Amino acid sequence: MPIRKGTTATVPATRLLSAALALTGVLTGVLTGCTAEPPRPAPPAPAPAASRPAAPAQPDAANRAPARIPGIGPQTHGRIPDGTTQVLVVTGDGPDGTVATAVLHQRDPAGRWHRTAGPWTGHNALRGWTDEHTAGDLRSPIGVYRIGDAGGLLPDPGARIPYDQDEEFTVSGTGFLGEPLDGSFDYVVAIDYNRIPGTTPLDKERPLGPEAGGGVWIHVDHGGPTQACVSLPRENMAELLRALDPAREPVVVMGPGAVIAR
């Protein structure tokens, strides 16, 4: 019906109730956080593996190998022949010591040295080492010497260097500590100190004269110091004989550690 001026309009009760309920729902949603929220942005995707910095490459074993044999100084190293690529290093435990350690090294085509056998523990002479060996001084000669001839009482264990099996490699008696010497010459490698290279270790020709001594060998260890030789355990002697390669022109570097480190 028409509403006159000055009169109040009356709204039906059902409409008022509906409006109140709607308003209440809006307020409740705001207070409880249940109203819809705009979508949140997604986190950035990780960088592809190809774009990540690569780990630094590790050098291989060949590149890490030394250009000089460990424990050997420049002066001693300079005495190793240029064509030699196989070196047996025998290190004494002091100028008067009798215990020696042997390690076999080989040089690769890049000029780097690698340990190929050892360490093996044996003995040297009763009174240690000397730069000027003489007959009967009971010291092992210090230096760099060719090792290319072998022999022994036992059959050839598979040596590549010339091997002379002979009954003359027989020894008996006792050593300086009372140990038996039997079997000490079962395997022998001649050290080319005061001898003719290319001959049997039994050869007694002495180019420097008899007063300079001779017959200096690497032989089977008998458990004590030697006259002048270097000794290694029997199984290591057989291993050494099979390893020495004449094509590599092998030498032995021998002496107290402090001396060959020069």
Side-chain angles (χ1 to χ4, degrees):
M1 66 178 183
I3 300 174
R4 294 183 185 158
K5 263 188 182 178
T7 63
T8 303
T10 303
V11 179
T14 55
R15 282 179 157 178
L16 291 173
L17 180 60
S18 298
L21 289 173
L23 180 60
T24 301
V26 172
L27 291 175
T28 302
V30 171
L31 292 175
T32 60
C34 293
T35 53
E37 296 182 359
R40 297 178 181 177
S51 65
R52 296 175 189 168
Q58 296 297 320
D60 57 28
N63 291 333
R64 291 196 302 268
R68 193 164 67 207
I69 300 171
I72 297 184
Q75 179 179 329
T76 304
H77 223 285
R79 298 176 62 187
I80 297 174
D82 291 340
T84 292
T85 60
Q86 193 172 50
V87 174
L88 180 68
V89 178
V90 179
T91 308
D93 61 353
D96 301 318
T98 62
V99 176
T101 301
V103 178
L104 186 64
H105 301 266
Q106 287 187 180
R107 191 177 70 189
D108 65 23
R112 297 187 174 275
W113 290 92
H114 305 264
R115 185 177 75 183
T116 55
W120 305 318
T121 301
H123 292 88
N124 56 281
L126 177 66
R127 295 178 182 167
W129 300 88
T130 180
D131 285 314
E132 297 181 2
H133 177 61
T134 57
D137 66 4
L138 299 181
R139 292 183 180 273
S140 298
I142 297 170
V144 178
Y145 305 102
R146 172 188 173 272
I147 46 173
D149 302 296
L153 183 64
L154 296 182
D156 184 350
R160 285 182 280 182
I161 59 176
Y163 186 92
D164 175 28
Q165 183 185 9
D166 198 302
E167 291 184 358
E168 287 191 39
F169 289 103
T170 300
V171 62
S172 59
T174 57
F176 295 109
L177 303 181
E179 76 279 12
L181 298 178
D182 292 344
S184 299
F185 300 158
D186 284 353
Y187 297 126
V188 163
V189 175
I191 295 172
D192 281 1
Y193 169 82
N194 198 19
R195 70 179 298 269
I196 303 297
T199 61
T200 172
L202 294 170
D203 182 70
K204 291 182 171 55
E205 187 170 353
R206 304 289 179 252
L208 303 178
E211 65 281 356
V216 182
W217 297 344
I218 305 169
H219 62 67
V220 175
D221 186 62
H222 46 74
T226 69
Q227 298 272 345
C229 300
V230 170
S231 62
L232 297 175
R234 180 182 305 275
E235 63 274 15
N236 300 144
M237 279 298 302
E239 185 179 355
L240 176 64
L241 283 166
R242 289 190 291 267
L244 291 177
D245 183 355
R248 291 184 172 274
E249 302 181 26
V251 301
V252 59
V253 175
M254 51 193 282
V259 175
I260 64 176
R262 296 172 184 165

